[in-house]
Amino acid sequence: MLYESMSATDAATGLPRGFLRLSANTRPDSVLFTLDIRSDGSWRDAEHFIMVTAPALVQAAGAAGQLATPEGVVARLVSLAPLVSVTSFIAMRYAAHMCARDRCVPHTVRQQVLQELRATPLHQVIQPLVAQQHSYLQIQPPAQQQQQQPYLHDSCLSERLTMLLLLKQP
């Protein structure tokens, strides 16, 4: 009935009235992670790392025959990752930020995504490496740290770094 009424010719224009197509959003909102590209540029080091540094490192290690284990490659990537920039670039949606345009993601769904991410082999390798670096960064008071390794306080740093490495296509 709607289609028939829309295809009737309009007396004023002599043209069919037309129709409107309704559909669901084809690009759903992120459940937990999103990219945060702020004007301050704090994300640029992480973006450069995943787009340029990490692929070059893996290619160089492969060419030199240094890819003995995947864990070794991941350990090298974690040691070189700009962790502060990663926390700026890979943003996590928390409860206060979950409702956008009347679409809310239940807490249980977010927890399920985190559980599944933490169960991946990549995260299993990254988590202890990040915890080791993270504890070193937290032990030093901010005034005593080198500028290259600032003070970090991020309980989900390993999850953010896992997501960053998953962003790069093989």
Side-chain angles (χ1 to χ4, degrees):
M1 188 160 146
L2 178 62
Y3 177 77
E4 290 172 5
S5 67
M6 299 302 274
S7 54
T9 303
D10 186 338
T13 64
L15 298 172
R17 292 187 180 136
F19 61 93
L20 176 67
R21 181 177 175 201
L22 300 175
S23 66
N25 185 0
T26 58
R27 295 177 59 185
D29 288 342
S30 167
V31 172
L32 186 61
F33 295 99
T34 188
L35 297 180
D36 189 1
I37 302 175
R38 298 176 189 198
S39 61
D40 67 0
S42 59
W43 56 275
R44 293 188 191 279
D45 287 342
E47 189 265 346
H48 186 267
F49 173 77
I50 198 60
M51 298 303 290
V52 178
T53 306
L57 176 73
V58 172
Q59 282 184 339
Q66 297 172 343
L67 292 178
T69 66
E71 292 83 5
V73 173
V74 172
R76 183 75 173 135
L77 291 173
V78 169
S79 72
L80 296 175
L83 300 180
V84 172
S85 183
V86 169
T87 63
S88 296
F89 190 45
I90 306 292
M92 291 185 71
R93 295 179 185 261
Y94 295 101
H97 302 100
M98 290 310 298
C99 294
R101 292 178 246 135
D102 298 328
R103 291 181 293 220
C104 292
V105 177
H107 178 72
T108 55
V109 173
R110 288 182 285 139
Q111 288 304 111
Q112 181 67 32
V113 170
L114 271 177
Q115 269 185 318
E116 291 175 11
L117 178 67
R118 289 172 178 154
T120 64
L122 179 61
H123 186 265
Q124 296 295 314
V125 172
I126 289 175
Q127 196 279 327
L129 297 168
V130 169
Q132 191 175 31
Q133 281 191 359
H134 198 210
S135 64
Y136 169 75
L137 293 172
Q138 287 184 348
I139 289 170
Q140 297 183 36
Q144 295 178 1
Q145 293 178 11
Q146 299 173 1
Q147 288 184 349
Q148 297 167 346
Q149 294 184 329
Y151 184 73
L152 283 175
H153 179 69
D154 185 355
S155 61
C156 292
L157 184 57
S158 61
E159 290 83 356
R160 292 175 196 258
L161 187 55
T162 301
M163 289 305 300
L164 180 70
L165 292 178
L166 289 173
L167 281 175
K168 185 64 180 157
Q169 296 178 349

